[in-house]
């Protein structure tokens, strides 16, 4: 069933292209591992097992890593009330609702489809935002679910995770594997090189898609609520407060930057911005200003 979130053909095209390119890289990566490791069954079983686990259990993995837990309407009536209203407006299934006990102000959506989605907010976000600002953030996250880009990012990020694991495995095998002949060492070095290349390619492709999907979610949320100024206010508040969060807490959350409302990083250089999972705050605010002008100044519907 299609929701009332505006379809985004640009996002759909980019998701299809990203998945196609990553699929080619994935096939080449698995083929290279089979040739280098000379074990067809082992490589396929490990690759398929990790992909299946990430796809089917991505919501549980994310909640566990972010110290999140599902909450009932009795436990969080305001949060559930906002989600209920947005889902009714968007005509989409209501996802499960979770809260993460972290001071880092943020939110994310995860899950393989709209019927198995979870939307999670941190206690730091709930404490800082007004109701209309929270509505904008939640509409942003719900649009990720409606546009199915949550599932695409989950699958796309798998290749980088797998390549990273292979690099670590090969590195520690060389480091602690004891005496090895030159052929074995050469094979492990080649596995590390191929894996590092695959990781770099997936890294760049995912970030290019992620930056566009964040702008698409901002636009969809602003159009659904009719309040781009409230979303802009939430962005400004959250981005400003993230800069004051202790570095150790940011490091804990950075693995999930591609899923967050705003990245868990401090403002960086132009090079850092190029490799970011999100557009700059200024770019997002400018896009919301354009939507506000389209809606007649960003006022109420």
């Amino acid at each position: 069933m299609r929701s009332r979130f505006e379809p985004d053909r640009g996002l759909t095209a980019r998701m299809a292209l990203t998945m196609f390119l990553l699929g080619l890289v994935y096939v080449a990566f698995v083929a290279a591992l089979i040739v280098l490791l000379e074990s067809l069954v082992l490589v396929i079983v490990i690759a398929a097992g990790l992909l299946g686990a990430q796809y089917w259990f991505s919501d549980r993995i994310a909640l566990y890593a972010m110290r999140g837990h599902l909450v009932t309407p009795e436990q969080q009536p305001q949060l559930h009330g906002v989600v209920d209203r947005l889902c009714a407006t968007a005509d989409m299934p209501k996802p499960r609702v979770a809260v993460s006990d972290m001071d880092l102000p943020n939110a994310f959506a995860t899950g393989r489809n709209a019927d198995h989605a979870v939307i999670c907010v941190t206690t730091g976000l709930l404490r800082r935002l007004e109701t209309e600002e929270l509505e904008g953030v939640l509409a942003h996250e719900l649009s990720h679910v409606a546009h199915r880009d949550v599932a695409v990012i989950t699958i796309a990020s798998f290749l980088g995770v797998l390549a990273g694991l292979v690099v670590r495995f090969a590195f520690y095998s060389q480091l602690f594997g004891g005496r090895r002949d030159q052929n074995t060492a050469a094979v492990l070095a080649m596995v590390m090189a191929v894996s590092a290349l695959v990781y770099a390619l997936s890294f760049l492709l995912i970030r290019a898609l992620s930056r566009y999907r964040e702008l698409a979610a901002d636009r969809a949320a602003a159009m659904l609520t009719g309040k781009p100024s409230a979303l802009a206010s939430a962005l400004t508040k959250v981005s400003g407060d993230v800069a004051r969060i202790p570095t150790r807490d940011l490091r804990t959350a950075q693995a999930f930057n591609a899923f967050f409302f705003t990245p868990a990083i401090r403002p960086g250089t132009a090079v850092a911005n190029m490799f970011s999972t999100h557009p700059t705050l200024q770019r997002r605010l400018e896009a919301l200003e354009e939507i506000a002008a389209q809606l007649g100044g960003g006022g109420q519907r």
Side-chain angles (χ1 to χ4, degrees):
M1 181 176 63
R2 296 184 64 177
S3 74
R4 290 176 185 161
F5 277 106
E6 287 194 351
D8 191 311
R9 293 181 181 177
L11 177 61
T12 302
R14 283 169 172 79
M15 289 193 297
L17 178 61
T18 299
M19 290 304 293
F20 175 73
L21 293 175
L22 282 172
L24 292 180
V25 173
Y26 181 59
V27 170
F29 181 46
V30 171
L33 290 183
I34 290 172
V35 171
L36 292 171
L37 300 179
E38 299 180 352
S39 179
L40 172 64
V41 176
L42 176 62
V43 172
I44 290 179
V45 167
I46 292 175
L50 288 173
L51 177 59
Q54 183 153 355
Y55 180 71
W56 289 97
F57 304 111
S58 60
D59 53 345
R60 300 181 193 178
I61 294 171
L63 286 180
Y64 176 79
M66 293 302 298
R67 302 198 297 272
H69 56 276
L70 298 177
V71 292
T72 65
E74 291 73 27
Q75 293 171 316
Q76 286 286 344
Q78 180 192 15
L79 178 58
H80 271 272
V82 174
V83 175
D84 285 335
R85 291 194 299 274
L86 289 171
C87 288
T89 303
D91 192 22
M92 65 180 289
K94 180 183 177 181
R96 290 170 292 165
V97 179
V99 171
S100 169
D101 296 320
M102 298 182 69
D103 187 52
L104 172 71
N106 230 314
F108 64 92
T110 184
R112 61 185 184 273
N113 55 45
D115 293 321
H116 298 87
V118 177
I119 187 167
C120 181
V121 300
T122 65
T123 52
L125 186 81
L126 291 174
R127 188 171 63 254
R128 288 171 171 86
L129 299 189
E130 303 295 333
T131 300
E132 284 192 349
E133 295 168 337
L134 178 63
E135 183 183 66
V137 172
L138 293 175
H140 172 105
E141 297 303 328
L142 287 171
S143 76
H144 284 316
V145 176
H147 289 151
R148 299 183 177 87
D149 57 272
V150 169
V152 171
I153 282 291
T154 297
I155 296 171
S157 63
F158 159 75
L159 185 56
V161 171
L162 178 60
L165 289 174
V166 172
V167 168
R168 290 192 186 103
F169 174 77
F171 175 77
Y172 288 117
S173 292
Q174 289 213 59
L175 199 60
F176 302 112
R179 298 182 62 184
R180 294 182 180 276
D181 58 40
Q182 290 185 345
N183 289 337
T184 301
V187 168
L188 286 174
M190 291 177 67
V191 167
M192 288 181 67
V194 170
S195 300
L197 176 62
V198 167
Y199 180 84
L201 290 173
S202 62
F203 180 93
L204 294 174
L205 286 171
I206 289 169
R207 273 148 184 77
L209 172 62
S210 183
R211 287 193 292 271
Y212 184 89
R213 84 181 190 114
E214 293 303 328
L215 289 174
D218 284 348
R219 176 177 178 79
M223 297 300 288
L224 182 74
T225 63
K227 304 169 186 173
S229 58
L231 181 57
S233 176
L235 271 169
T236 303
K237 274 188 182 180
V238 172
S239 298
D241 284 346
V242 164
R244 292 189 284 271
I245 297 296
T247 302
R248 65 179 182 277
D249 294 336
L250 293 180
R251 286 174 180 165
T252 302
Q254 282 175 3
F256 290 91
N257 270 346
F259 296 89
F260 281 150
F261 173 62
T262 56
I265 55 174
R266 304 185 194 284
T269 63
V271 174
N273 290 332
M274 182 174 66
F275 292 113
S276 174
T277 54
H278 291 60
T280 63
L281 173 62
Q282 186 61 35
R283 176 69 184 91
R284 295 176 77 175
L285 294 179
E286 288 172 355
L288 288 171
E289 285 180 4
E290 293 174 6
I291 298 170
Q294 293 173 18
L295 294 175
Q300 308 291 331
R301 282 205 254 213

